[in-house]
Amino acid sequence: MSYKDVWVLSEQEDGKIKLVSYELLTRGRFLADKRNVKLVAIILGKSIDKEGLQELIYRGANKVIVIEDTSLEYFLPEPYANTVASLIQKYNPEIIIASATTTGRTVMPAVAIKCITGLTADCTDLDIEEETGNLIQTRPAIGGNILATIMTPKYRPQMATVRPHSNKPLVPDNSRTGDIIYEKVDKSILKSRIKKLDFKINQEEDANIQDADVVISGGKGLKKEENFQMIRNIAALLDGAVGASREAVDLKWATYPHQVGLSGKTVSPKFYMAVGISGSVQHLAGIKTAENIVAINSDPEAQIFQVADYGIVADLFEVLPVLTKKLEALKQ
Amino acid sequence: MKIIVPIKQVPETSNVSMDPETGTMIRDGVESIINPLDLYAIEEAVNLKEEHGGEILVISMGPAKAEMAIREAISMGCDDGILLSNKEFAGSDTLATSYALSQAIKKFNPYDLIICGERATDGDTGQVGPGIAAWLDIPFTTYVSNIKEVNENSMIVQRMVETGYEILEIETPCLLTVIKEINYPRLPSMRGKLLAKKKEIKTWGPDDIGAKKDYLGLEGSPTRVVKISKPKVSRGGEILMPKNESELDKAVDGLIEYLQKKEII
């Protein structure tokens, strides 16, 4: 059988294409160009915004395959995995990548089993081995202590999830053209043994540390719960989200959705600031792909300075008030 | 309720050291522990058993010493354990691992629930749980932060996603992967430790689970690790050590300049 084209699995919410999906197109475009094949975006939903579909083309796709059905309105593992697997079996792409979001990391393992192929999780780098066309998949493992490079030489399609925010979307190019095709799948595969009863938006607006461009995190160095407010204030001044070390969460200064690190979330913001966080291996594992890291800690030996692009070794209780004041002055 | 908890033994990565020459992990003296994220799965299973009655089977695949992890789970309140250990399983990636575990789980049909940790802290893939569910063709969901209701043929669970929590009703038997927020894992009791010590842990190979050999181990694993490298450890950043108030003021100005240069403000 011949396998051709690079696919990206796009995501939508309420019919709007998510930003991570535009980022993923950048990766897909790079791979498709190297392979000299088409880049196809796959999108599942109920009624997807037409402009968003066109934007998938403007931002890199040659073709968009849309599957609309009421059972695909929002993510449910079974109909999503079945639909993606059936499209793969119909068209035989050589590569399919998805964002390593809660959706991507849930649906792709099931798709890989249905297609009996390999899947590499949470890649931070993807490339093509020119002689073979193999996808070179690089990802951190063992708590970020190593980088493993993985290939899927004998199975197709090659599948990977890609760490969100580990690259930027392409600037939309309105001169790009491509087909938007609406496909139907067999109703029988859209059945779900799971029903979504409700959705509770996290009331803490600063909790979405995975999608934020700026994450300001606090740790044990803040000494007590009241002091954690200083972190929230700085995050608000920078329009950022609030992160926390495991210790800070265990002490209940912040809730679990804020936790950064191996037993919390991995973040890749444009800017990460660690305040009063020593930088355990587990914490560092969660931030290593952040674009810029700043650390404030009184201990010059703190591990966090190893990964910092800019660091201030000083008492955070002296630094934060000065920083807050200067940021406030800039805001005005 | 009959609950199955697949677990993994992992190296204690918090004080792992890497060979700077080869970029591989120095395993000497590294302790093996239950994957810390599996403790939440074990605890949740024990909580459900305490509330609804039933039994818990722990299952793991790994070298002979992974038996220790199973005994530890039993000391926390699980009832029985099976270890899949055989050279034919060696080198399994997530496809082959989830296949082998699903084959073993089929032996315990009918069951009500499979609970997994969110991911293992060594491989960090989170793919084996959903993989098992796909092989068994049972409904599954991930990132479960609360089991709200257990009904006759379904459960109501809360799932954490990027922007909040989904409330889902899922038919049983099903598989859930759970996150840290769900509970506080208990320490093993003295009685549990004694029970665990005496327990006979069966070791199974491919024939015991009726597995197709070409789906196992390295042969059944589509992915190959072709290179291990050491990530860039130091970013070689500018680290300032202000000695007085005016130096501190300058250090903060430097930070603001940095933010401006990087277009963050």
Side-chain angles (χ1 to χ4, degrees):
Chain A
M1 205 188 302
S2 75
Y3 293 87
K4 210 176 160 204
D5 294 343
V6 174
W7 282 17
V8 293
L9 180 62
S10 308
E11 292 181 34
Q12 54 84 24
E13 191 169 3
D14 300 328
K16 300 257 182 280
I17 310 286
K18 288 192 187 175
L19 178 68
V20 282
S21 300
Y22 296 131
E23 294 170 6
L24 193 66
L25 282 172
T26 310
R27 298 276 189 175
R29 189 67 260 161
F30 172 76
L31 300 173
D33 286 343
K34 277 218 157 179
R35 288 291 298 144
N36 198 20
V37 296
K38 285 200 175 96
L39 175 63
V40 181
I42 307 296
I43 177 99
L44 282 59
K46 182 183 156 197
S47 167
I48 303 159
D49 175 41
K50 299 273 187 300
E51 280 173 31
L53 294 175
Q54 191 58 49
E55 195 163 341
L56 289 168
I57 302 278
Y58 293 161
R59 292 193 192 250
N62 298 105
K63 184 171 146 182
V64 180
I65 299 179
V66 190
I67 301 93
E68 288 188 340
D69 192 279
T70 46
S71 56
L72 299 172
E73 182 175 5
Y74 39 77
F75 173 65
L76 287 171
E78 291 172 287
Y80 268 63
N82 290 339
T83 301
V84 175
S86 81
L87 291 172
I88 289 173
Q89 279 147 7
K90 181 171 173 190
Y91 290 103
N92 300 308
E94 58 187 287
I95 292 169
I96 171 164
I97 57 176
S99 305
T101 52
T102 53
T103 295
R105 291 190 80 163
T106 304
V107 70
M108 291 292 266
V111 174
I113 303 297
K114 287 174 194 297
C115 299
I116 312 279
T117 190
L119 169 63
T120 305
D122 204 20
C123 296
T124 51
D125 193 41
L126 293 175
D127 205 345
I128 298 286
E129 188 180 58
E130 277 173 30
E131 316 81 79
T132 58
N134 284 336
L135 181 63
I136 306 171
Q137 306 157 104
T138 302
R139 64 184 304 269
I142 317 192
N145 282 295
I146 62 164
L147 278 176
T149 302
I150 292 164
M151 289 208 259
T152 313
K154 291 184 184 149
Y155 290 67
R156 292 290 182 274
Q158 305 160 92
M159 294 180 41
T161 58
V162 181
R163 183 168 293 190
H165 312 308
S166 59
N167 63 281
K168 290 192 176 59
L170 295 168
V171 175
D173 173 357
N174 295 10
S175 70
R176 289 182 51 85
T177 56
D179 295 329
I180 297 171
I181 295 161
Y182 288 79
E183 285 250 356
K184 285 273 171 238
V185 291
D186 198 274
K187 273 271 179 197
S188 65
I189 67 168
L190 296 174
K191 277 196 214 113
S192 178
R193 289 170 285 184
I194 306 182
K195 273 192 294 218
K196 187 154 124 181
L197 305 179
D198 200 3
F199 182 72
K200 293 194 288 188
I201 286 188
N202 196 323
Q203 296 300 331
E204 301 173 74
E205 279 175 17
D206 55 14
N208 190 354
I209 55 176
Q210 279 166 310
D211 285 338
D213 278 340
V214 171
V215 176
I216 311 298
S217 279
K220 218 168 44 186
L222 284 151
K223 295 205 169 88
K224 51 184 176 181
E225 190 178 356
E226 301 92 277
N227 297 334
F228 209 83
Q229 190 55 39
M230 298 197 292
I231 300 296
R232 295 191 188 98
N233 292 346
I234 290 177
L237 284 165
L238 294 170
D239 296 321
V242 173
S245 69
R246 185 181 63 84
E247 288 85 358
V249 170
D250 286 350
L251 290 162
K252 301 198 188 296
W253 298 349
T255 56
Y256 178 66
H258 295 274
Q259 188 177 322
V260 175
L262 207 55
S263 53
K265 289 172 181 162
T266 298
V267 297
S268 286
K270 193 171 169 199
F271 177 68
Y272 186 82
M273 185 158 90
V275 182
I277 293 176
S278 61
S280 66
V281 174
Q282 291 92 329
H283 190 81
L284 299 186
I287 65 168
K288 276 185 181 159
T289 49
E291 209 176 305
N292 302 289
I293 299 177
V294 166
I296 298 170
N297 201 297
S298 56
D299 176 10
E301 301 298 319
Q303 284 289 325
I304 193 78
F305 289 118
Q306 294 277 317
V307 299
D309 299 292
Y310 188 91
I312 302 177
V313 181
D315 184 350
L316 68 91
F317 296 104
E318 286 173 22
V319 181
L320 292 189
V322 179
L323 177 61
T324 307
K325 218 160 94 191
K326 285 184 194 280
L327 287 174
E328 278 168 351
L330 277 171
K331 272 248 158 173
Q332 280 159 14
Chain B
M1 284 186 97
K2 190 161 161 188
I3 306 171
I4 297 172
V5 184
I7 64 168
K8 186 181 187 185
Q9 192 179 50
V10 300
E12 210 320 14
T13 44
S14 59
N15 36 38
V16 113
S17 52
M18 306 302 293
D19 185 328
E21 296 291 308
T22 61
T24 54
M25 202 174 75
I26 300 168
R27 285 186 181 264
D28 296 343
V30 176
E31 205 188 332
S32 292
I33 55 168
I34 293 187
N35 166 38
L37 299 178
D38 289 344
L39 297 177
Y40 303 99
I42 296 166
E43 177 66 27
E44 200 58 22
V46 176
N47 285 340
L48 288 170
K49 185 181 88 168
E50 285 171 352
E51 198 175 325
H52 303 278
E55 55 175 326
I56 306 165
L57 173 81
V58 181
I59 180 161
S60 189
M61 186 169 106
K65 68 168 183 183
E67 195 193 287
M68 294 298 294
I70 294 174
R71 286 194 194 280
E72 194 179 330
I74 291 172
S75 73
M76 286 174 70
C78 299
D79 298 285
D80 238 316
I82 295 286
L83 175 65
L84 303 185
S85 191
N86 188 286
K87 61 178 190 316
E88 307 244 17
F89 296 132
S92 292
D93 69 1
T94 57
L95 182 84
T97 303
S98 56
Y99 171 70
L101 290 168
S102 70
Q103 283 296 114
I105 289 168
K106 281 180 186 169
K107 296 272 164 194
F108 295 94
N109 214 2
Y111 50 84
D112 300 290
L113 177 62
I114 303 170
I115 312 182
C116 302
E118 182 200 336
R119 56 196 151 83
T121 55
D122 56 351
D124 209 12
T125 73
Q127 292 176 180
V128 171
I132 292 171
W135 283 112
L136 294 171
D137 191 25
I138 57 171
F140 75 100
T141 192
T142 49
Y143 308 103
V144 171
S145 63
N146 191 3
I147 297 179
K148 297 173 101 65
E149 257 179 59
V150 178
N151 303 317
E152 184 70 30
N153 298 308
S154 72
M155 309 180 84
I156 295 177
V157 303
Q158 178 173 293
R159 173 178 189 250
M160 186 174 87
V161 296
E162 286 81 358
T163 49
Y165 296 93
E166 297 173 349
I167 310 297
L168 303 168
E169 180 174 13
I170 182 164
E171 286 177 26
T172 48
C174 66
L175 181 144
L176 308 175
T177 78
V178 299
I179 56 171
K180 180 183 155 166
E181 198 174 51
I182 198 164
N183 58 41
Y184 294 94
R186 69 193 68 193
L187 293 170
S189 65
M190 273 316 285
R191 187 172 161 271
K193 279 186 185 170
L194 281 170
L195 278 171
K197 211 171 165 182
K198 281 189 238 154
K199 199 86 201 174
E200 188 205 347
I201 312 290
K202 285 201 193 79
T203 299
W204 283 0
D207 295 336
D208 300 302
I209 58 172
K212 293 184 224 158
K213 296 269 168 74
D214 54 348
Y215 276 46
L216 299 175
L218 206 55
E219 196 192 338
S221 296
T223 58
R224 289 280 177 276
V225 177
V226 293
K227 198 176 93 186
I228 296 286
S229 57
K230 203 174 148 55
K232 194 174 63 169
V233 175
S234 173
R235 295 194 177 207
E238 187 185 351
I239 310 296
L240 302 176
M241 301 178 82
K243 294 278 173 292
N244 52 47
E245 214 171 297
S246 79
E247 282 184 29
L248 188 124
D249 203 69
K250 271 189 203 135
V252 176
D253 281 338
L255 171 52
I256 302 234
E257 274 164 37
Y258 180 85
L259 290 169
Q260 284 165 334
K261 196 175 78 192
K262 299 289 178 182
E263 294 174 354
I264 291 143
I265 49 175

